[in-house]
Amino acid sequence: MSERIAVCPGSFDPITNGHIDIIRRGLGVFDKVVVAVGHNALKQDLFTTEEKVEMIKECVAPSNGRISVDVFEGLLVDYVKKIGACAILRGLRVVSDFEWEMQLSLMNRKLYGEVDTYFLMTDFRNLFVSSTIIKATVSAGGSVRGLVPDPVLYKLKEKFPFMNTD
Ligand code: ADP
């Protein structure tokens, strides 16, 4: 049987413990998970794509080759086709995520009928964690220890030297 590969797409600006949890749990369902960093034109990024990729690689290691990190541009479904993936993996937190995620998954299926989106419910510890709230907190000097992996904490400290890391 061929390998079941899922693409976990996102902006990852930066990757948080919420994302990591979804990616790792995805390995319980799929043989491989490809973390695909895309640029969301609706969001203004703090980190460059290179910085994001470097951080994600550090955060998902070691994975026995089951998690890889890549960059994609353009339509997600074109990327999914290109690498021979069978699924898109996304996380859900609150009801407000649901409406957008449903639209996205239906649009992706319209564009490419052979791909399905699989959702994993967030762990309760990451329910309130988003890249946006992480950035808002550190830019005001607060600590996000325990909400992002250590490599991300150090990288945030480079951008916001005054932030609390306790
Ligand atoms: P996007 O710009 O595509 O929304 P994000 O990097 O914000 O990208 O999120 C990528 C995916 O990870 C989305 O499915 C999002 O719902 C999910 N996600 C983000 N934060 C969490 C979290 N704390 N718990 C579970 N899933 C999450």
Side-chain angles (χ1 to χ4, degrees):
M1 220 172 76
S2 60
E3 274 186 335
R4 285 176 53 78
I5 303 172
V7 173
C8 183
S11 320
F12 303 107
D13 188 49
I15 192 161
T16 68
N17 285 352
H19 295 123
I20 301 276
D21 175 55
I22 298 296
I23 295 162
R24 291 208 181 283
R25 282 161 58 208
L27 290 182
V29 184
F30 300 99
D31 298 313
K32 284 188 176 166
V33 173
V34 178
V35 183
V37 180
H39 176 66
N40 184 338
L42 302 175
K43 296 182 179 175
Q44 212 188 352
D45 286 346
L46 172 65
F47 292 100
T48 65
T49 303
E50 292 69 33
E51 287 175 317
K52 292 178 187 181
V53 168
E54 193 188 319
M55 278 188 281
I56 300 170
K57 282 187 175 161
E58 272 187 76
C59 297
V60 299
S63 74
N64 270 339
R66 293 183 66 201
I67 303 175
S68 56
V69 187
D70 199 3
V71 175
F72 77 99
E73 274 175 37
L75 278 181
L76 174 63
V77 290
D78 289 341
Y79 178 75
V80 167
K81 266 187 231 173
K82 188 179 92 180
I83 68 162
C86 63
I88 297 168
L89 175 65
R90 300 280 287 182
L92 279 181
R93 283 160 297 187
V94 285
V95 177
S96 52
D97 278 349
F98 178 82
E99 201 175 337
W100 171 240
E101 292 292 343
M102 188 177 74
Q103 284 181 15
L104 267 182
S105 68
L106 293 179
M107 180 54 90
N108 283 329
R109 259 176 75 78
K110 182 188 179 311
L111 294 168
Y112 179 40
E114 280 169 51
V115 72
D116 252 317
T117 304
Y118 289 75
F119 296 98
L120 287 178
M121 195 59 71
T122 189
D123 186 88
F124 69 92
R125 280 167 294 208
N126 301 315
L127 188 59
F128 67 100
V129 178
S130 68
S131 302
T132 305
I133 203 157
I134 295 293
K135 288 180 283 189
T137 305
V138 296
S139 66
S143 171
V144 293
R145 186 176 282 284
L147 307 180
V148 296
D150 282 347
V152 175
L153 201 61
Y154 304 139
K155 202 80 194 166
L156 283 166
K157 184 80 178 157
E158 280 174 30
K159 305 258 181 200
F160 303 100
F162 52 83
M163 78 181 231
N164 188 343
T165 47
D166 293 345

